[in-house]
Amino acid sequence: MNIAETPAKFLATDLLARFVAIVGNKNAVTDREAQAPFLTEPRDMFRGTSAVVLRPGSVGEVAEILKLANETATAIVPQGGNTGLVGGQIPQHGEIVLSLNRLDRVREVDAVSNTMTCEAGVTLLRAREAAAEVDRLYPQLLPSEGSCTIGGNLSTNAGGTAALAYGIARSHALGIEVVLPDGRVLNALNKLKKDNTGYDLKDLFIGAEGTLGVITAAVLRLIPRPRSVETAFVGVPSPQAALDLFGLASERATGNVTSFELMLRLGIELVLRHGAGCRDPLPQPHPWYVLIELSSQARSGLRAVSSKTPLSRRASIRPRRSGASAKCSAKCNATKAARSSTTSRCR
Ligand SMILES: Cc1cc2nc3c(=O)[nH]c(=O)nc-3n(C[C@H](O)[C@H](O)[C@H](O)COP(=O)(O)OP(=O)(O)OC[C@H]3O[C@@H](n4cnc5c(N)ncnc54)[C@H](O)[C@@H]3O)c2cc1C
């Protein structure tokens, strides 16, 4: 546990008042109890202290805060959804917290250019919903999607479960808007895929965790929504067997492997022991498991692929809604010992 020992940095009353005046009393949190959600990471592994949590409602206010902080050498920690697992968003040395979660507008969704412009505090879930409303997919997916934000995703260059197919956060950003430490706003909200002009400054800020500036908005790349998705949970004897299965799936599904996650039996046992209403997913235990997802534009394409690409000798296939079952045959030595349970859905 990394509990902060450092008390909140002393801020002279008049300086504190100047920061508060930028966002207004309502959006400056000084009360200890109200500050708690901003000062503790959800697993309680990191705790901090802060004189004030500032919640700006516009890019202009972010710029004013950073300008004043720069002039007075006041330390700032930007925060999005506070889901970071390494505590970078926690004021462990008593800094001011700059929460971006009021910058939560989806400024534009453009199905023609296949882009979406979101402010930093838009949650990943909301961004994905906005894309789905115009029948597009924003392909980043993290289990923390309900709380984590676009600004946090880009600042940590987040990976997620579909990184295999679509890349990590850096691959999704076409443009970015950043407030620099001295308060200047860098507007690089480019929507063009074919932008070959000069330096690509956005990549400096992605993955920088706020050390070079505060991300306030980004243009994100969208893709067509897959029409069908197949998910399988497969038991394998070893990591090598999982790699062989990955090779087989990539070859047969021709680039349609969206996710491929390796798990130890120990993880399953922990969930079975502590999770309410959970059951062992497969009839027999296996030392390792793979969660695999295939997706395709063809409505019927994946069922054919999964039947021709047996994940196991006898895979029980359970479409999510009908509950019907079928059997696959096996050809591949690599996956001989694998057992799987699969579900499919069409969109
Ligand atoms: C259940 C769960 C599953 C997760 N799965 C994954 C996963 O699959 N892959 C993965 O990569 N991570 C994962 N994470 C970690 C976390 O969700 C990601 O790192 C996420 O991108 C953080 O976003 P956030 O908005 O919560 O950022 P925060 O936690 O608030 O901040 C993270 C860092 O970014 C900085 N920051 C935040 N917003 C800005 C901004 N606007 N401008 C500049 N700097 C900023 C903060 O100072 C901090 O250093 C998971 C977390 C949980 C709880």
Side-chain angles (χ1 to χ4, degrees):
M1 201 182 293
N2 294 280
I3 305 298
E5 301 295 338
T6 328
K9 281 221 163 55
F10 174 75
L11 272 190
T13 317
D14 61 333
L15 181 55
L16 178 62
R18 286 171 73 191
F19 277 112
V20 171
I22 296 171
V23 293
N25 277 330
K26 210 173 93 195
N27 296 304
V29 189
T30 49
D31 174 70
R32 291 275 159 260
E33 216 170 291
Q35 279 189 345
F38 301 92
L39 303 186
T40 310
E41 172 269 351
R43 294 163 307 168
D44 204 12
M45 289 183 73
F46 301 93
R47 272 190 230 159
T49 51
S50 185
V52 63
V53 176
L54 299 173
R55 304 182 65 232
S58 69
V59 180
E61 287 182 7
V62 176
E64 278 187 64
I65 291 167
L66 291 201
K67 187 167 182 289
L68 180 58
N70 191 47
E71 285 166 4
T72 56
T74 309
I76 297 274
V77 169
Q79 188 177 99
N82 189 11
T83 66
L85 298 172
V86 292
Q89 71 281 13
I90 300 297
Q92 295 180 59
H93 303 284
E95 303 89 342
I96 287 182
V97 175
L98 178 64
S99 168
L100 278 304
N101 57 19
R102 283 184 65 227
L103 291 189
D104 61 353
R105 262 189 330 125
V106 176
R107 290 187 192 165
E108 185 194 29
V109 186
D110 182 348
V112 176
S113 68
N114 277 317
T115 63
M116 169 168 76
T117 307
C118 288
E119 294 186 343
V122 171
T123 64
L124 177 57
L125 178 66
R126 173 74 195 105
R128 284 171 58 88
E129 284 170 354
E133 279 159 23
V134 296
D135 204 23
R136 296 289 183 273
L137 178 72
Y138 178 55
Q140 180 132 60
L141 181 54
L142 269 60
S144 52
E145 66 169 348
S147 310
C148 71
T149 61
I150 295 301
N153 294 163
L154 292 174
S155 297
T156 56
N157 196 13
T161 58
L164 197 63
Y166 305 120
I168 55 179
R170 191 184 295 285
S171 355
H172 308 312
L174 278 172
I176 206 167
E177 180 187 79
V178 185
V179 179
L180 302 175
D182 62 2
R184 282 177 299 162
V185 180
L186 173 71
N187 183 334
L189 288 171
N190 163 63
K191 282 171 74 173
L192 281 180
K193 277 188 191 149
K194 193 180 174 186
D195 176 17
N196 53 4
T197 53
Y199 300 110
D200 190 350
L201 291 176
K202 73 174 183 320
D203 276 339
L204 277 176
F205 300 96
I206 297 175
E209 297 208 28
T211 51
L212 298 178
V214 174
I215 297 175
T216 46
V219 179
L220 305 169
R221 196 193 297 265
L222 305 179
I223 59 170
R225 279 217 306 159
R227 297 299 164 197
S228 56
V229 175
E230 291 261 359
T231 314
F233 192 78
V234 187
V236 288
S238 63
Q240 185 56 51
L243 282 175
D244 293 343
L245 175 62
F246 176 61
L248 179 74
S250 307
E251 180 195 314
R252 301 284 177 87
T254 52
N256 289 324
V257 182
T258 323
S259 302
F260 196 93
E261 302 258 328
L262 182 66
M263 279 166 262
L264 255 177
R265 174 71 194 168
L266 177 66
I268 301 293
E269 279 168 7
L270 281 174
V271 174
L272 290 174
R273 201 172 313 141
H274 301 290
C278 298
R279 65 170 178 79
D280 217 328
L282 299 178
Q284 271 94 42
H286 296 267
W288 295 87
Y289 296 90
V290 167
L291 181 61
I292 180 168
E293 185 184 87
L294 309 179
S295 48
S296 162
Q297 291 308 325
R299 280 183 198 280
S300 57
L302 286 169
R303 180 40 55 105
V305 168
S306 69
S307 310
K308 283 184 203 145
T309 311
L311 296 174
S312 71
R313 285 197 151 182
R314 293 185 306 119
S316 103
I317 296 180
R318 293 176 313 190
R320 207 165 256 183
R321 290 196 192 87
S322 71
S325 72
K327 285 188 177 175
C328 292
S329 65
K331 290 179 198 151
C332 178
N333 280 342
T335 55
K336 256 183 192 167
R339 293 286 180 274
S340 81
S341 150
T342 74
T343 63
S344 66
R345 56 186 191 276
C346 285
R347 286 172 174 153

